[in-house]
Amino acid sequence: MTRSRRATIDPAIIVPATIDLATTDRRQGAMSMVLAVIFLFLGFAIGWWRARRRGGKRSDKIQMGLAHAIPMGILGFALAITAVNMGL
């Protein structure tokens, strides 16, 4: 009876490239995400203002605010991701 040899796993094959988390500036990513939140609130304020200018009720203002906040938030999020990737 022969014993089977166990296969060894080379860590370099599993994780070919490692990310040095010590050099990654996490504050940069957190601060750029504030940009997305600013765009979100700015979009809500623009929608609220436009609904108020048209004489809308509170529900109209909330609906217009959210209708403007969602795309503005997505735009701010995309800009934040771009800023982090560019190293800004």
Side-chain angles (χ1 to χ4, degrees):
M1 212 154 95
T2 61
R3 295 179 88 182
S4 62
R5 296 177 67 186
R6 293 186 93 178
T8 58
I9 299 173
D10 186 14
I13 295 173
I14 296 174
V15 184
T18 59
I19 299 171
D20 188 12
L21 294 177
T23 61
T24 305
D25 191 5
R26 294 179 186 182
R27 288 175 291 161
Q28 178 187 13
M31 290 304 293
S32 65
M33 294 310 287
V34 172
L35 182 68
V37 175
I38 290 171
F39 268 72
L40 186 81
F41 283 114
L42 181 66
F44 188 85
I46 290 171
W48 186 279
W49 175 73
R50 289 186 67 198
R52 187 183 67 179
R53 192 177 65 178
R54 294 180 182 191
K57 296 181 181 181
R58 181 180 290 173
S59 61
D60 297 326
K61 294 174 186 176
I62 292 171
Q63 181 180 3
M64 286 283 284
L66 290 175
H68 284 75
I70 291 170
M72 287 288 284
I74 292 171
L75 177 66
F77 186 67
L79 289 175
I81 290 174
T82 304
V84 169
N85 287 339
M86 291 178 65
L88 299 176

PDB file of all heavy atoms in Angstrom, residues 43-62:
ATOM      1  N   GLY A  43     -28.762  68.318  -5.053  1.00  0.00           N
ATOM      2  CA  GLY A  43     -29.838  67.900  -5.952  1.00  0.00           C
ATOM      3  C   GLY A  43     -31.193  67.984  -5.284  1.00  0.00           C
ATOM      4  O   GLY A  43     -32.177  68.422  -5.895  1.00  0.00           O
ATOM      5  N   PHE A  44     -31.269  67.586  -4.021  1.00  0.00           N
ATOM      6  CA  PHE A  44     -32.542  67.683  -3.297  1.00  0.00           C
ATOM      7  C   PHE A  44     -32.970  69.139  -3.152  1.00  0.00           C
ATOM      8  O   PHE A  44     -34.137  69.469  -3.344  1.00  0.00           O
ATOM      9  CB  PHE A  44     -32.428  67.025  -1.915  1.00  0.00           C
ATOM     10  CG  PHE A  44     -33.749  66.919  -1.211  1.00  0.00           C
ATOM     11  CD1 PHE A  44     -34.589  65.846  -1.471  1.00  0.00           C
ATOM     12  CD2 PHE A  44     -34.163  67.881  -0.309  1.00  0.00           C
ATOM     13  CE1 PHE A  44     -35.809  65.741  -0.829  1.00  0.00           C
ATOM     14  CE2 PHE A  44     -35.382  67.790   0.324  1.00  0.00           C
ATOM     15  CZ  PHE A  44     -36.213  66.711   0.067  1.00  0.00           C
ATOM     16  N   ALA A  45     -32.026  70.004  -2.842  1.00  0.00           N
ATOM     17  CA  ALA A  45     -32.347  71.429  -2.684  1.00  0.00           C
ATOM     18  C   ALA A  45     -32.815  72.038  -4.003  1.00  0.00           C
ATOM     19  O   ALA A  45     -33.759  72.844  -4.021  1.00  0.00           O
ATOM     20  CB  ALA A  45     -31.131  72.175  -2.146  1.00  0.00           C
ATOM     21  N   ILE A  46     -32.194  71.660  -5.108  1.00  0.00           N
ATOM     22  CA  ILE A  46     -32.603  72.177  -6.416  1.00  0.00           C
ATOM     23  C   ILE A  46     -34.023  71.708  -6.745  1.00  0.00           C
ATOM     24  O   ILE A  46     -34.859  72.494  -7.207  1.00  0.00           O
ATOM     25  CB  ILE A  46     -31.598  71.740  -7.508  1.00  0.00           C
ATOM     26  CG1 ILE A  46     -30.270  72.466  -7.330  1.00  0.00           C
ATOM     27  CG2 ILE A  46     -32.169  71.993  -8.901  1.00  0.00           C
ATOM     28  CD1 ILE A  46     -29.163  71.937  -8.213  1.00  0.00           C
ATOM     29  N   GLY A  47     -34.309  70.439  -6.499  1.00  0.00           N
ATOM     30  CA  GLY A  47     -35.653  69.916  -6.753  1.00  0.00           C
ATOM     31  C   GLY A  47     -36.696  70.574  -5.876  1.00  0.00           C
ATOM     32  O   GLY A  47     -37.805  70.901  -6.330  1.00  0.00           O
ATOM     33  N   TRP A  48     -36.370  70.787  -4.615  1.00  0.00           N
ATOM     34  CA  TRP A  48     -37.286  71.456  -3.684  1.00  0.00           C
ATOM     35  C   TRP A  48     -37.568  72.881  -4.165  1.00  0.00           C
ATOM     36  O   TRP A  48     -38.711  73.330  -4.174  1.00  0.00           O
ATOM     37  CB  TRP A  48     -36.678  71.468  -2.285  1.00  0.00           C
ATOM     38  CG  TRP A  48     -37.583  71.994  -1.213  1.00  0.00           C
ATOM     39  CD1 TRP A  48     -37.834  73.287  -0.906  1.00  0.00           C
ATOM     40  CD2 TRP A  48     -38.358  71.221  -0.308  1.00  0.00           C
ATOM     41  NE1 TRP A  48     -38.706  73.372   0.135  1.00  0.00           N
ATOM     42  CE2 TRP A  48     -39.050  72.117   0.524  1.00  0.00           C
ATOM     43  CE3 TRP A  48     -38.523  69.849  -0.117  1.00  0.00           C
ATOM     44  CZ2 TRP A  48     -39.903  71.691   1.532  1.00  0.00           C
ATOM     45  CZ3 TRP A  48     -39.370  69.438   0.889  1.00  0.00           C
ATOM     46  CH2 TRP A  48     -40.051  70.348   1.698  1.00  0.00           C
ATOM     47  N   TRP A  49     -36.513  73.568  -4.572  1.00  0.00           N
ATOM     48  CA  TRP A  49     -36.650  74.952  -5.029  1.00  0.00           C
ATOM     49  C   TRP A  49     -37.514  75.034  -6.295  1.00  0.00           C
ATOM     50  O   TRP A  49     -38.367  75.908  -6.429  1.00  0.00           O
ATOM     51  CB  TRP A  49     -35.264  75.544  -5.278  1.00  0.00           C
ATOM     52  CG  TRP A  49     -35.292  76.913  -5.861  1.00  0.00           C
ATOM     53  CD1 TRP A  49     -35.618  78.073  -5.234  1.00  0.00           C
ATOM     54  CD2 TRP A  49     -35.000  77.254  -7.215  1.00  0.00           C
ATOM     55  NE1 TRP A  49     -35.540  79.126  -6.106  1.00  0.00           N
ATOM     56  CE2 TRP A  49     -35.161  78.646  -7.335  1.00  0.00           C
ATOM     57  CE3 TRP A  49     -34.612  76.518  -8.326  1.00  0.00           C
ATOM     58  CZ2 TRP A  49     -34.949  79.302  -8.527  1.00  0.00           C
ATOM     59  CZ3 TRP A  49     -34.401  77.185  -9.515  1.00  0.00           C
ATOM     60  CH2 TRP A  49     -34.572  78.557  -9.603  1.00  0.00           C
ATOM     61  N   ARG A  50     -37.293  74.112  -7.228  1.00  0.00           N
ATOM     62  CA  ARG A  50     -38.074  74.118  -8.467  1.00  0.00           C
ATOM     63  C   ARG A  50     -39.545  73.828  -8.205  1.00  0.00           C
ATOM     64  O   ARG A  50     -40.432  74.425  -8.822  1.00  0.00           O
ATOM     65  CB  ARG A  50     -37.515  73.101  -9.456  1.00  0.00           C
ATOM     66  CG  ARG A  50     -36.176  73.532 -10.029  1.00  0.00           C
ATOM     67  CD  ARG A  50     -35.702  72.596 -11.100  1.00  0.00           C
ATOM     68  NE  ARG A  50     -36.595  72.687 -12.256  1.00  0.00           N
ATOM     69  CZ  ARG A  50     -36.656  71.760 -13.199  1.00  0.00           C
ATOM     70  NH1 ARG A  50     -35.902  70.688 -13.122  1.00  0.00           N
ATOM     71  NH2 ARG A  50     -37.483  71.897 -14.215  1.00  0.00           N
ATOM     72  N   ALA A  51     -39.832  72.904  -7.278  1.00  0.00           N
ATOM     73  CA  ALA A  51     -41.224  72.601  -6.944  1.00  0.00           C
ATOM     74  C   ALA A  51     -41.874  73.779  -6.220  1.00  0.00           C
ATOM     75  O   ALA A  51     -43.052  74.074  -6.445  1.00  0.00           O
ATOM     76  CB  ALA A  51     -41.295  71.343  -6.094  1.00  0.00           C
ATOM     77  N   ARG A  52     -41.138  74.444  -5.366  1.00  0.00           N
ATOM     78  CA  ARG A  52     -41.676  75.606  -4.662  1.00  0.00           C
ATOM     79  C   ARG A  52     -41.970  76.736  -5.645  1.00  0.00           C
ATOM     80  O   ARG A  52     -42.977  77.428  -5.531  1.00  0.00           O
ATOM     81  CB  ARG A  52     -40.701  76.084  -3.591  1.00  0.00           C
ATOM     82  CG  ARG A  52     -41.273  77.192  -2.721  1.00  0.00           C
ATOM     83  CD  ARG A  52     -40.277  77.678  -1.751  1.00  0.00           C
ATOM     84  NE  ARG A  52     -39.212  78.347  -2.518  1.00  0.00           N
ATOM     85  CZ  ARG A  52     -38.170  78.926  -1.976  1.00  0.00           C
ATOM     86  NH1 ARG A  52     -38.002  78.879  -0.686  1.00  0.00           N
ATOM     87  NH2 ARG A  52     -37.272  79.513  -2.733  1.00  0.00           N
ATOM     88  N   ARG A  53     -41.097  76.909  -6.625  1.00  0.00           N
ATOM     89  CA  ARG A  53     -41.282  77.952  -7.623  1.00  0.00           C
ATOM     90  C   ARG A  53     -42.528  77.697  -8.470  1.00  0.00           C
ATOM     91  O   ARG A  53     -43.186  78.638  -8.920  1.00  0.00           O
ATOM     92  CB  ARG A  53     -40.043  78.020  -8.517  1.00  0.00           C
ATOM     93  CG  ARG A  53     -40.001  79.242  -9.405  1.00  0.00           C
ATOM     94  CD  ARG A  53     -38.739  79.283 -10.193  1.00  0.00           C
ATOM     95  NE  ARG A  53     -38.718  78.131 -11.113  1.00  0.00           N
ATOM     96  CZ  ARG A  53     -37.759  77.898 -11.986  1.00  0.00           C
ATOM     97  NH1 ARG A  53     -36.721  78.690 -12.059  1.00  0.00           N
ATOM     98  NH2 ARG A  53     -37.811  76.864 -12.776  1.00  0.00           N
ATOM     99  N   ARG A  54     -42.873  76.435  -8.667  1.00  0.00           N
ATOM    100  CA  ARG A  54     -44.067  76.086  -9.441  1.00  0.00           C
ATOM    101  C   ARG A  54     -45.322  76.038  -8.580  1.00  0.00           C
ATOM    102  O   ARG A  54     -46.401  75.700  -9.086  1.00  0.00           O
ATOM    103  CB  ARG A  54     -43.869  74.734 -10.116  1.00  0.00           C
ATOM    104  CG  ARG A  54     -42.792  74.745 -11.173  1.00  0.00           C
ATOM    105  CD  ARG A  54     -42.649  73.406 -11.799  1.00  0.00           C
ATOM    106  NE  ARG A  54     -41.578  73.431 -12.786  1.00  0.00           N
ATOM    107  CZ  ARG A  54     -41.355  72.464 -13.646  1.00  0.00           C
ATOM    108  NH1 ARG A  54     -42.114  71.387 -13.636  1.00  0.00           N
ATOM    109  NH2 ARG A  54     -40.370  72.562 -14.496  1.00  0.00           N
ATOM    110  N   GLY A  55     -45.182  76.334  -7.288  1.00  0.00           N
ATOM    111  CA  GLY A  55     -46.347  76.357  -6.406  1.00  0.00           C
ATOM    112  C   GLY A  55     -46.791  74.989  -5.930  1.00  0.00           C
ATOM    113  O   GLY A  55     -47.971  74.783  -5.655  1.00  0.00           O
ATOM    114  N   GLY A  56     -45.885  74.052  -5.793  1.00  0.00           N
ATOM    115  CA  GLY A  56     -46.236  72.703  -5.375  1.00  0.00           C
ATOM    116  C   GLY A  56     -46.442  72.587  -3.871  1.00  0.00           C
ATOM    117  O   GLY A  56     -45.968  73.409  -3.082  1.00  0.00           O
ATOM    118  N   LYS A  57     -47.173  71.554  -3.488  1.00  0.00           N
ATOM    119  CA  LYS A  57     -47.386  71.264  -2.071  1.00  0.00           C
ATOM    120  C   LYS A  57     -46.152  70.551  -1.514  1.00  0.00           C
ATOM    121  O   LYS A  57     -45.188  70.293  -2.232  1.00  0.00           O
ATOM    122  CB  LYS A  57     -48.622  70.393  -1.900  1.00  0.00           C
ATOM    123  CG  LYS A  57     -49.890  71.095  -2.340  1.00  0.00           C
ATOM    124  CD  LYS A  57     -51.079  70.197  -2.137  1.00  0.00           C
ATOM    125  CE  LYS A  57     -52.330  70.919  -2.603  1.00  0.00           C
ATOM    126  NZ  LYS A  57     -53.508  70.114  -2.411  1.00  0.00           N
ATOM    127  N   ARG A  58     -46.203  70.214  -0.245  1.00  0.00           N
ATOM    128  CA  ARG A  58     -45.046  69.574   0.392  1.00  0.00           C
ATOM    129  C   ARG A  58     -44.701  68.244  -0.274  1.00  0.00           C
ATOM    130  O   ARG A  58     -43.519  67.933  -0.486  1.00  0.00           O
ATOM    131  CB  ARG A  58     -45.304  69.346   1.875  1.00  0.00           C
ATOM    132  CG  ARG A  58     -44.099  68.692   2.553  1.00  0.00           C
ATOM    133  CD  ARG A  58     -44.309  68.440   4.008  1.00  0.00           C
ATOM    134  NE  ARG A  58     -44.320  69.718   4.708  1.00  0.00           N
ATOM    135  CZ  ARG A  58     -44.620  69.833   5.988  1.00  0.00           C
ATOM    136  NH1 ARG A  58     -44.945  68.769   6.682  1.00  0.00           N
ATOM    137  NH2 ARG A  58     -44.601  71.003   6.565  1.00  0.00           N
ATOM    138  N   SER A  59     -45.710  67.470  -0.634  1.00  0.00           N
ATOM    139  CA  SER A  59     -45.434  66.181  -1.286  1.00  0.00           C
ATOM    140  C   SER A  59     -44.787  66.392  -2.660  1.00  0.00           C
ATOM    141  O   SER A  59     -43.930  65.608  -3.071  1.00  0.00           O
ATOM    142  CB  SER A  59     -46.726  65.369  -1.421  1.00  0.00           C
ATOM    143  OG  SER A  59     -47.666  66.077  -2.212  1.00  0.00           O
ATOM    144  N   ASP A  60     -45.197  67.440  -3.365  1.00  0.00           N
ATOM    145  CA  ASP A  60     -44.573  67.757  -4.646  1.00  0.00           C
ATOM    146  C   ASP A  60     -43.109  68.150  -4.457  1.00  0.00           C
ATOM    147  O   ASP A  60     -42.246  67.769  -5.251  1.00  0.00           O
ATOM    148  CB  ASP A  60     -45.310  68.898  -5.344  1.00  0.00           C
ATOM    149  CG  ASP A  60     -46.745  68.547  -5.696  1.00  0.00           C
ATOM    150  OD1 ASP A  60     -46.993  67.363  -6.006  1.00  0.00           O
ATOM    151  OD2 ASP A  60     -47.602  69.446  -5.642  1.00  0.00           O
ATOM    152  N   LYS A  61     -42.853  68.914  -3.413  1.00  0.00           N
ATOM    153  CA  LYS A  61     -41.479  69.344  -3.141  1.00  0.00           C
ATOM    154  C   LYS A  61     -40.589  68.161  -2.802  1.00  0.00           C
ATOM    155  O   LYS A  61     -39.439  68.079  -3.267  1.00  0.00           O
ATOM    156  CB  LYS A  61     -41.468  70.366  -1.998  1.00  0.00           C
ATOM    157  CG  LYS A  61     -42.147  71.666  -2.353  1.00  0.00           C
ATOM    158  CD  LYS A  61     -42.221  72.576  -1.142  1.00  0.00           C
ATOM    159  CE  LYS A  61     -43.032  73.816  -1.451  1.00  0.00           C
ATOM    160  NZ  LYS A  61     -43.199  74.667  -0.267  1.00  0.00           N
ATOM    161  N   ILE A  62     -41.132  67.238  -2.001  1.00  0.00           N
ATOM    162  CA  ILE A  62     -40.349  66.050  -1.638  1.00  0.00           C
ATOM    163  C   ILE A  62     -40.097  65.185  -2.872  1.00  0.00           C
ATOM    164  O   ILE A  62     -38.978  64.693  -3.086  1.00  0.00           O
ATOM    165  CB  ILE A  62     -41.059  65.249  -0.528  1.00  0.00           C
ATOM    166  CG1 ILE A  62     -41.053  66.045   0.776  1.00  0.00           C
ATOM    167  CG2 ILE A  62     -40.415  63.884  -0.329  1.00  0.00           C
ATOM    168  CD1 ILE A  62     -41.904  65.455   1.871  1.00  0.00           C
TER     169      ILE A  62
END
